Amino acid sequence: MIKLEHVYKSFGKLEVLKDINLEVKPGEVVCVIGPSGSGKSTMLRCLNHLERITSGTIYIEGEIADQRENNKDVLNISQEKVQELCTELGMVFQRFNLFPHLTAYENIAIAPKNVRKQSDAEIKVIADELLEMVGLEDKRDEYPSRLSGGQQQRVAIARALAMKPKIMLFDEPTSALDPELVGEVLEVMKKLANDGMTMIVVTHEMGFAKEVGTRVIFMDEGRIIEEGDPREIFDNPKEIRTKAFLNKIL
C-alpha cells in the first residue's frame, strides 16, 4: 500500500533521510523505533506531503505520489492527484492539533463536510460511530479545553478516521500525554490494528510495538538499520546499534 524507493530528505546541508527503502502491505502494523533525530517523524511527514522529499520515489496504493531528484520534480504530478492520494492517509500527531473553537463532534465533522462534501445526516452517522469507537460519545459537545490530553488524542484519532483513510500514520501519539493517559490511546490503536487497519506507528512505546506490531523498523541517523518480526528485533537484534539502543531503554 506504501512503498518508498531510495528516499532522501535534506534540510539545507542537514541530511535527515538517507536512502530509505520500505514497503508496507495491507493490514500491516509497522512500528518505527529509534532515538530522537533519527528521521522517523520526517519519514511520515514526507509520506503525506507535509515535507517534499529531496530525491527518490513514493508510491501510495501503487501510484506514484512523489518522484524527485536533487530537489527537482522528475514526474509532474498534479496537485489534485496528490491530494487524492493523500486522502488515503490519515495522520495523528504528537500534539493533538484540535480546533479549539470547535466541539469534539465538530472537529470530527469538519473534514467530511468541507473535503468530501458529505451531507449533515451522513456526517452525523460517521461522527457518532467514531465517538463511540474511541469511547467518547458522552463528550460529543465538549470543547478541547475541557478534555484531558488522552481524550483530545482520541478525538484526533477519530477526526483522522472520519475521512475513511486506508492507511493510518501515527507520529508518537502518546509522547505528549501524562503516563496514566497513555493506555487509553493505545487501546484505541490496538482496536484499529485488530480491525485490520494498515498502520505506520512512530513510537517510544516498546510494549505496544512488541505486542501489536507485525514488523518493527529501527532507524538511526536517517537510515533503516534493521527491520523484522517484533520478537526478533527485541529479543535477538542482529545489529550492534540496535542492541545498544534497546539496552538503554528496556
Side-chain angles (χ1 to χ4, degrees), residues 15-32:
E15 200 170 35
V16 180
L17 296 178
K18 306 169 186 176
D19 198 22
I20 297 295
N21 293 278
L22 175 66
E23 284 191 51
V24 179
K25 296 176 182 176
E28 276 199 291
V29 179
V30 177
C31 293
V32 186

Side-chain angles (χ1 to χ4, degrees), residues 131-182:
L131 283 167
E132 183 178 358
M133 190 206 82
V134 299
L136 291 173
E137 57 268 46
D138 60 330
K139 303 294 183 183
R140 183 184 192 277
D141 298 318
E142 297 286 1
Y143 289 92
S145 62
R146 294 181 58 84
L147 299 175
S148 70
Q151 290 169 337
Q152 289 185 60
Q153 192 62 294
R154 284 187 278 158
V155 172
I157 293 172
R159 180 178 63 179
L161 291 170
M163 289 291 287
K164 299 189 180 300
K166 294 180 180 177
I167 303 150
M168 283 289 287
L169 310 176
F170 291 89
D171 186 8
E172 298 185 17
T174 60
S175 65
L177 299 178
D178 292 333
E180 67 267 24
L181 301 177
V182 168

Side-chain angles (χ1 to χ4, degrees), residues 73-89:
D73 291 342
V74 173
L75 190 65
N76 187 22
I77 306 169
S78 70
Q79 191 59 34
E80 291 78 12
K81 185 61 178 178
V82 170
Q83 288 175 350
E84 178 190 330
L85 291 172
C86 286
T87 57
E88 303 291 354
L89 309 176

Side-chain angles (χ1 to χ4, degrees), residues 175-207:
S175 65
L177 299 178
D178 292 333
E180 67 267 24
L181 301 177
V182 168
E184 62 191 54
V185 174
L186 294 181
E187 281 303 314
V188 172
M189 293 170 65
K190 288 177 186 177
K191 189 183 299 183
L192 283 175
N194 290 336
D195 288 343
M197 174 64 77
T198 305
M199 298 160 61
I200 304 178
V201 185
V202 171
T203 185
H204 293 300
E205 301 294 335
M206 300 301 149

Side-chain angles (χ1 to χ4, degrees), residues 51-119:
E51 302 284 355
R52 295 296 305 280
I53 59 176
T54 303
S55 295
T57 307
I58 293 176
Y59 298 85
I60 298 174
E61 291 263 89
E63 296 193 62
I64 296 177
D66 207 3
Q67 189 172 55
R68 309 189 87 205
E69 189 67 40
N70 296 323
N71 250 346
K72 295 180 181 177
D73 291 342
V74 173
L75 190 65
N76 187 22
I77 306 169
S78 70
Q79 191 59 34
E80 291 78 12
K81 185 61 178 178
V82 170
Q83 288 175 350
E84 178 190 330
L85 291 172
C86 286
T87 57
E88 303 291 354
L89 309 176
M91 186 156 180
V92 178
F93 300 86
Q94 296 177 37
R95 296 288 172 181
F96 324 122
N97 294 334
L98 297 177
F99 296 109
H101 63 293
L102 300 180
T103 64
Y105 177 88
E106 291 167 340
N107 264 283
I108 296 167
I110 190 169
K113 182 176 183 178
N114 292 311
V115 179
R116 297 238 188 246
K117 308 299 182 186
Q118 291 178 281
S119 70

